[in-house]
Amino acid sequence: MQYAVNLSPRKQLIYHSLLNLCIGSFIASFLIALALTFPTFKKVFSDNSYSAILEEGLKYLFVLFLIITIKLKTSSIPFIGIGFGLLEVFARLQSSGHIYTKPFVAHIIFGLTMALFIYLAQKSKTPFKGLFYGLALIAPAMLHIFYNLIIAKL
């Protein structure tokens, strides 16, 4: 897809980062709305592994869609995690009255992990390109599961 206006690489990166920030916030608000609307979804979503796989899977699908449609810059991918983490912090602040920064930092790490493997897949000249794309989904999801398990024990 070609842009209607030629943008400098810096402006492209800024637009892609803002877009990813909004998409991360959208995914988080969508999942929160589902959890508030449907009690059965909340019960399933509260499980440590299902929530991690669902969150990271949705982020991954949006990232792949944006890579295909607008040639998304890999350096802007962590902003999806930032947007998701910010909205999660605000949701927890509203529900409990406390600010938790751990989810915010964790979602940045998950976004960086996804960005690293997508970057490796795009730059790879080996037959392991598909493996890197797979790891872009699996590695953040596994980190997220471990994070949820650690938080649940605290």
Side-chain angles (χ1 to χ4, degrees):
M1 178 174 168
Q2 292 291 331
Y3 289 101
V5 179
N6 287 331
L7 299 174
S8 69
R10 183 174 179 221
K11 283 186 179 180
Q12 256 185 347
L13 181 61
I14 291 169
Y15 289 140
H16 288 184
S17 299
L18 290 173
L19 177 65
N20 285 336
L21 188 67
C22 293
I23 287 174
S25 299
F26 167 76
I27 293 171
S29 60
F30 176 71
L31 293 175
I32 290 168
L34 280 177
L36 293 174
T37 307
F38 303 106
T40 53
F41 180 80
K42 185 176 183 178
K43 188 176 182 183
V44 171
F45 188 68
S46 64
D47 180 54
N48 291 330
S49 57
Y50 290 135
S51 64
I53 293 168
L54 182 62
E55 289 174 19
E56 299 306 321
L58 284 173
K59 287 189 242 179
Y60 182 74
L61 289 174
F62 271 97
V63 165
L64 287 182
F65 175 75
L66 292 174
I67 286 172
I68 292 168
T69 56
I70 66 166
K71 307 292 186 223
L72 182 73
K73 304 262 186 217
T74 52
S75 53
S76 67
I77 292 172
F79 283 88
I80 288 181
I82 292 171
F84 195 98
L86 275 175
L87 206 66
E88 190 172 329
V89 166
F90 289 136
R92 289 180 188 222
L93 174 65
Q94 190 218 7
S95 67
S96 69
H98 295 91
I99 294 179
Y100 298 99
T101 56
K102 291 176 193 151
F104 178 69
V105 174
H107 282 286
I108 292 172
I109 293 169
F110 306 148
L112 286 170
T113 306
M114 186 181 294
L116 170 69
F117 284 112
I118 288 177
Y119 174 80
L120 290 173
Q122 289 178 338
K123 299 300 179 187
S124 177
K125 296 187 186 334
T126 67
F128 300 114
K129 185 178 286 233
L131 175 68
F132 289 132
Y133 276 118
L135 285 172
L137 171 62
I138 294 168
M142 293 303 293
L143 285 173
H144 201 149
I145 290 169
F146 291 139
Y147 165 78
N148 287 350
L149 292 172
I150 290 169
I151 292 298
K153 299 287 183 196
L154 294 179

